[in-house]
Structures are given as C-alpha cells and as structure tokens.
C-alpha cells in the first residue's frame, strides 16, 4: 500500500481513476532473465498475478516469467 498511496494521487491528478485490486511482490533476476510474481498485500489481499505476468511479458519478452501463490 506504500506504493499505491504515493502513486494513486499523482495518477488521479492526470485524470485517471485509481483502485488497488490487490498486491504482491516481484523478484527480478536480470542476470538469469527471470521474473517471479508472488505473495500478497496485507492491506489489499492478493492481486491476480496472471494479469501482472501478462503485462510484464509485453516488456520483458526474452525473460522467463512465472507466478505463484507462495508468500516467500
């Protein structure tokens, strides 16, 4: 929620409507070209990690990108 609290008001100033649908963590290993999406937010619950992975795959096309419900 720390990131959303900072970014949300700035996005709203630009005319966007913001709502946090959940949270989690991202482990980025640039050396091995791997990204792992996992975990949840204690305040917002778990985001739909498959959506996050779909977005990341558009930018990190040469990475192995995975997700799980693991907390660590």
């Amino acid at each position: 929620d720390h990131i959303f609290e900072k970014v949300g008001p700035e996005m709203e100033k630009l005319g966007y409507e913001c709502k946090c649908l959940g949270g989690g963590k991202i482990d980025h290993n640039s050396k091995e070209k791997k990204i792992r999406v996992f975990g949840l937010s204690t305040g917002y619950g778990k985001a739909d990690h498959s959506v996050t992975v779909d977005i990341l795959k558009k930018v990190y096309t040469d990475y192995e990108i995975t997700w799980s419900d693991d907390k660590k």
Side-chain angles (χ1 to χ4, degrees), residues 39-72:
L40 54 91
S41 164
T42 55
Y44 296 105
K46 186 181 86 62
D48 184 343
H49 296 327
S50 66
V51 172
T52 306
V53 168
D54 287 344
I55 293 167
L56 289 168
K57 283 182 176 182
K58 291 176 183 176
V59 177
Y60 296 92
T61 56
D62 58 340
Y63 272 63
E64 176 187 334
I65 304 175
T66 59
W67 70 271
S68 74
D69 289 329
D70 296 342
K71 293 183 180 177
K72 293 184 180 184

Side-chain angles (χ1 to χ4, degrees), residues 9-28:
E10 296 301 317
M11 296 296 289
E12 288 172 358
K13 286 179 190 175
L14 296 171
Y16 293 99
E17 182 178 331
C18 298
K19 181 178 179 184
C20 185
L21 302 176
K25 296 175 178 63
I26 297 175
D27 180 30
H28 179 194

